[in-house]
Structure formats: C-alpha cells, structure tokens
Amino acid sequence: MKLHHLHPWDISTSQARELQKELAGSVSTVPALPDKVRYLAGLDISPADASGVVRGAAVVLEYPSLEPVEVKTAGGKPPFPYIPGLLSFRESPVLLEALEQLETHPDVIYIDGQGLAHPRRFGLACHIGLLTRTPTIGCAKSILVGSHHELPPSAGAHSRLEHKGEEVGAAVRTRDKVRPMYVSPGHLIDIDTSIEWVLASCRGRRMPEPTRKAHEAADRAHRSQIGS
DNA sequence: GCGACAG
DNA sequence: ATCTTGTCGC
Ligand SMILES: [Mg+2]
C-alpha cells in the first residue's frame, strides 16, 4: 500500500490533527457492523535482537472468516528506546516498511497501542492511519493515559476511557474474566465503531485476531534470523 | 520535585 | 518489552 508521508516526523502533531479532521470530512469512514468490510490488517513488532534490530509484521485477514491472506515483514533498528508517549516515532519506520509491501489494501488496521488515548491525542494508531490514509483502531493491552469505571466480568462489557474530561476511548472486556483491552480511534473511525470491530475480531480470545497474527509473524521473523 | 508511563 | 516453569483456575 502507498504512503502519503515517509515518517511521523514529516508533519507536526498539531498539523497532523488538523489534516486528520479534514480527511474525516471527505473520506468514508469504517462502516458499523456488518457492512462491507472484507480485509482486516494487524501490525506488530518484535523485541530487539542482540544487534538492536526489530522485526515488524503486517498481516491481512479476510473478514468474517479471519483467515490470513497475506503476511509481510520488515526489519530495522529503531531510532531510540521506548519512551512513553513517543512510541510512534520508535515503531513507525519498521511498521510502515512492512505495510508498504502489502498488496491488499485493508479496510481497517488494528494497532498494538493507543490512538486518541494519548497525552497529545495522537498515538501510534493515528500516525499509521494518517500516513496510509486508512482507518485504524488502537487496541492496547494497558493504559497510557486516562481512567474508567470498573466493568462487568463478561465478554462484551465496556466502559468509556476518559482523560482530562475528554472521552478518548474505552476499556473493553474482549473475553470473560480477563483484563480489558484499551480501545481508541486511530483514523477515520469513532469510539463505538472501534469497540464493535474489536469485539468482532476476538474469536473468544483477549487479543483481536489481526494483532495476534501480526505478533506471531513478527516473533517468527525475530527468531528465524536469531537463535532463541 | 515526584510519580505515572502504549511497547 | 523482558526476567521465567510449573501450576492454578475457568
Ligand atoms: Mg507490540
């Protein structure tokens, strides 16, 4: 798939937010279930190997079968260590390199991290969406910012994630009696539709299938070239 | 100044 | 993200 900028730092965060709003007004957003969505993508990255190289993976699954139809990987050295709030700048280069190789343009991309639920309201999912002009959903395993009321233990339960008086996403119980996932819009999608699509792709597990498959692919790429 | 803090 | 095998609970 094609990219519209090469890196997140080709544009300032405030400019990026404005551009994102413009696009939201002129481009179709992700339909609520069960409309014509056919391809779901997932992205993830491996830990660094001994020489500092990480492997990124982009996978495409068909919906609603959730069967994988394409897998691409890329490798590179992140520009700096993990710093909360700056994950976009660390992970984007390798993730975009993997994404760029996809022949299938997905209808929505699942991201292992936050979207709107970010101190500056522009997390990794927002960057990836803007750079690819594709709807994205941030689906993280833990909270970066914000808080929520406790939610019922059954799968499907969800509660708004709020930060400084703003609704930035939701805590979503994707499976019975497990810790919730933290879902926030990345690009061209709203909170409720994000929740819907996360719940529609979790096949009874905690993680959405696109993210799971991407994690596996990145891990395979990691240990195939390394020993471990 | 202190603590919190996606991966 | 990692340190880490078997083990407990649904
Ligand atoms: Mg990850």
Side-chain angles (χ1 to χ4, degrees):
Chain A
M1 58 193 305
K2 277 195 172 180
L3 308 181
H4 288 247
H5 296 274
L6 202 51
H7 294 119
W9 46 82
D10 289 338
I11 185 171
S12 74
T13 302
S14 50
Q15 288 176 320
R17 278 193 297 255
E18 289 312 307
L19 178 52
Q20 187 180 45
K21 285 177 191 170
E22 281 181 38
L23 291 171
S26 62
V27 178
S28 63
T29 57
V30 181
L33 291 177
D35 287 9
K36 56 175 175 89
V37 163
R38 176 147 189 213
Y39 295 115
L40 311 182
L43 286 184
D44 197 18
I45 212 168
S46 76
D49 63 20
S51 52
V53 170
V54 302
R55 302 279 158 181
V59 305
V60 178
L61 313 188
E62 201 220 349
Y63 180 83
S65 70
L66 298 182
E67 288 304 314
V69 297
E70 200 181 349
V71 180
K72 292 289 186 293
T73 61
K77 298 178 186 176
F80 50 83
Y82 168 70
I83 301 171
L86 300 183
L87 188 67
S88 297
F89 303 93
R90 170 178 169 77
E91 294 201 347
S92 286
V94 168
L95 294 179
L96 291 169
E97 223 177 281
L99 260 185
E100 204 168 11
Q101 298 177 60
L102 289 180
E103 292 171 23
T104 315
H105 192 109
D107 297 298
V108 57
I109 305 172
Y110 289 69
I111 303 291
D112 182 29
Q114 315 289 348
L116 229 207
H118 177 275
R120 297 175 67 184
R121 305 287 178 265
F122 216 80
L124 178 59
C126 303
H127 281 281
I128 297 293
L130 186 61
L131 270 49
T132 58
R133 298 294 194 275
T134 305
T136 54
I137 298 171
C139 187
K141 299 178 289 298
S142 61
I143 291 175
L144 175 59
V145 294
S147 60
H148 61 89
H149 295 298
E150 296 194 358
L151 54 163
S154 57
H158 54 84
S159 173
R160 281 295 192 263
L161 184 63
E162 295 178 25
H163 183 233
K164 295 186 171 179
E166 297 178 331
E167 296 197 339
V168 295
V172 181
R173 191 91 65 190
T174 51
R175 172 187 179 160
D176 285 352
K177 298 169 197 169
V178 299
R179 285 175 300 142
M181 296 294 292
Y182 300 93
V183 176
S184 61
H187 192 56
L188 302 176
I189 195 167
D190 61 29
I191 296 176
D192 287 320
T193 309
S194 298
I195 295 171
E196 239 177 77
W197 280 102
V198 164
L199 289 174
S201 59
C202 280
R203 292 213 296 205
R205 296 188 243 233
R206 181 176 181 238
M207 303 272 292
E209 202 62 15
T211 303
R212 269 185 100 262
K213 283 285 180 290
H215 188 85
E216 288 175 1
D219 192 45
R220 281 195 304 272
H222 175 57
R223 69 180 64 188
S224 75
Q225 269 222 350
I226 317 303
S228 185

